[in-house]
Amino acid sequence: MIIKNVHIFDGNPITNTSDIRIENDRIAAIAATIMPYETEEVIDGKGMIALPGMADAHRHVWQAAFKACAADLMLMDYLNQTVGGIGAQITPEELYCLNFYGYLRAAANGITTIFDWSHIMNSPEHADAALQAATDAGINVLFFHASTAIDRTPWWYNSELPHDKDIERLVKNYGNQSPYVKIGMGIRGPEFATMQVNEQDIKLAKQLNIPVSMHIGSSILGKIHKPVMQLYEKGLLHANMNMVHCNTLSDTEFELMRDAGCLVSMTPEAEMQMGLGNPASKQVAKCTGLKWSAGIDIDTASTDSLIFQQRLLLQHYRSELNNELIEKMEFPMAMPYKANDFFFESQRYTHEFAGMNTCEEILVGKNASLSLLKWDELQCTSFVQNPAFYYLKETNIDTVIANGKVLLREGKWLNRDMVQLEAAIAEIVKKVR
């Protein structure tokens, strides 16, 4: 496959076009002109920008169909009404539809790699259905098997219950089934389970050689439990660990995560709404060398635009640093973080942690996952010389390619019956609402 005459978004002024050759699931060549083979598929990228496939570092994918049902909910109400209320009613067959729909909606918004923190593992059949949806969707999924949505109390309130042992079956059966779907363990962490349970869970994940993800530094719980300190004192911090939110952690805890090589994921919109605390952008930036990332979190309350989440996080960081100067009666003069530097850096460590050869840039030898966006309305503007990422709109996506395969072409899904899927989704939403 060749994409011809396309502008590659790399953060620099948009000038020349390029041709991109894709072979199997890799980018084989990038040049000013590439002659196609006799039978090679050619996509005309004229008038479009090639945007690297974006990576969402934290999402509860099953919630994609329940938009806005948590728009005015705080954290505990969301957990009880959305996760425990809706999640407890979902059958395995319905979960397949919900997850498949959620993955495709992510792809339609330019996201081709996603960390799916699945806290609706109500049975082994639910886990099988969710993983099958991940495989069928065609994008890159790091699937964090988490807890059940049924009777959540014993699992989330100083829980003494270890992680469901079904994770061992899943790793055995699905661990090598697809190069684009990997399994991880979504554990409760020190704020929601005892340290004995956390120690058991983390040791099991190490034995299975899978990554661990946990919600941490959530509102006052982070201040009460000092969770990273507890993990450090037990010798449990390691580089294959994804720490989500981190709003109320101390500077020392950020340093400990950096030294251990952990990945921090921030989801600014959900954090700001639900009382988790201010996004940790300033603490992350201050902790030089810390690996960090951004995610959407919950479609039930947050927009499904990762570009919006990145812009929100960037502007929050800029505002915090500017306000520090104002408090000192100094006039802010220097821009704290350039927009496109932020965009690429917010993606880099997500791709690295996923371990699927995906990349924050379109580069030869890397996984062929990208989207083509029409940019007619921007071509006559100074965006050409100053292409700040947040002027790109997901609604202008024309084509999506994931792992070398075209999923969406000219705004239409290939080999996917969206009419049937959306009808099934409507019935599920009607049932639980």
Side-chain angles (χ1 to χ4, degrees), residues 159-342:
S159 178
E160 297 180 352
L161 299 175
H163 197 91
D164 189 342
K165 292 294 186 182
D166 190 47
I167 187 72
E168 297 181 43
R169 177 188 67 86
L170 296 175
V171 171
K172 180 180 178 181
N173 291 352
Y174 295 93
N176 298 310
Q177 187 180 78
S178 168
Y180 314 123
V181 178
K182 292 191 174 184
I183 298 174
M185 186 185 292
I187 68 173
R188 276 74 47 83
E191 294 169 20
F192 302 100
T194 66
M195 280 309 296
Q196 182 179 3
V197 166
N198 280 283
E199 194 165 5
Q200 289 177 329
D201 290 349
I202 292 169
K203 285 183 177 179
L204 176 58
K206 275 192 171 182
Q207 291 171 11
L208 296 173
N209 195 28
I210 59 175
V212 166
S213 178
M214 69 187 81
H215 299 80
I216 204 164
S218 305
S219 190
I220 63 171
L221 296 177
K223 294 179 177 292
I224 292 170
H225 292 279
K226 302 187 186 316
V228 176
M229 289 299 300
Q230 290 196 61
L231 293 168
Y232 171 75
E233 288 167 0
K234 292 287 187 180
L236 298 175
L237 288 178
H238 60 77
N240 211 15
M241 193 169 277
N242 172 220
M243 306 301 218
V244 181
H245 301 314
C246 305
N247 304 81
T248 54
L249 299 180
S250 66
D251 289 347
T252 298
E253 288 179 294
F254 278 102
E255 292 167 2
L256 290 172
M257 290 189 294
R258 176 199 60 198
D259 294 345
C262 303
L263 174 70
V264 167
S265 296
M266 296 171 282
T267 64
E269 190 175 9
E271 293 164 0
M272 294 167 80
Q273 174 187 322
M274 293 195 166
L276 296 185
N278 282 330
S281 53
K282 184 171 70 172
Q283 293 91 328
V284 166
K286 186 167 64 174
C287 189
T288 305
L290 177 69
K291 297 178 181 180
W292 64 280
S293 57
I296 290 171
D297 202 347
I298 49 174
D299 290 271
T300 48
S302 304
T303 174
D304 55 8
S305 165
L306 186 58
I307 289 175
F308 173 82
Q309 302 295 338
Q310 292 164 322
R311 183 177 189 176
L312 182 62
L313 192 58
L314 169 63
Q315 304 296 32
H316 175 267
Y317 170 71
R318 287 171 166 177
S319 175
E320 290 230 294
L321 265 63
N322 290 337
N323 282 335
E324 282 187 352
L325 294 174
I326 292 169
E327 289 299 314
K328 298 175 184 178
M329 292 303 292
E330 298 178 22
F331 200 94
M333 298 292 289
M335 181 57 67
Y337 212 141
K338 290 186 178 180
N340 289 339
D341 290 345
F342 183 93

Side-chain angles (χ1 to χ4, degrees), residues 392-406:
L392 299 172
K393 297 179 181 178
E394 292 98 335
T395 52
N396 290 333
I397 289 178
D398 173 273
T399 298
V400 175
I401 297 171
N403 302 314
K405 297 185 182 301
V406 179

Side-chain angles (χ1 to χ4, degrees), residues 328-398:
K328 298 175 184 178
M329 292 303 292
E330 298 178 22
F331 200 94
M333 298 292 289
M335 181 57 67
Y337 212 141
K338 290 186 178 180
N340 289 339
D341 290 345
F342 183 93
F343 173 76
F344 289 109
E345 287 176 24
S346 72
Q347 300 283 292
R348 182 168 304 137
Y349 296 117
T350 316
H351 288 293
E352 179 184 289
F353 192 91
M356 299 181 186
N357 197 40
T358 55
C359 185
E360 74 279 5
E361 299 180 71
I362 297 174
L363 299 174
V364 173
K366 289 296 184 179
N367 178 284
S369 293
L370 54 92
S371 55
L372 304 181
L373 293 84
K374 297 178 180 178
W375 70 304
D376 309 55
E377 63 191 44
L378 293 172
Q379 290 188 45
C380 65
T381 74
S382 56
F383 176 84
V384 175
Q385 293 300 320
N386 304 281
F389 77 92
Y390 51 72
Y391 284 91
L392 299 172
K393 297 179 181 178
E394 292 98 335
T395 52
N396 290 333
I397 289 178
D398 173 273

Side-chain angles (χ1 to χ4, degrees), residues 92-102 129 133 420-421 424-425 428:
E93 294 76 17
E94 291 167 341
L95 183 57
Y96 175 87
C97 291
L98 291 170
N99 272 27
F100 189 56
Y101 175 79
Q420 183 178 6
L421 177 60
I425 291 296
I428 296 169

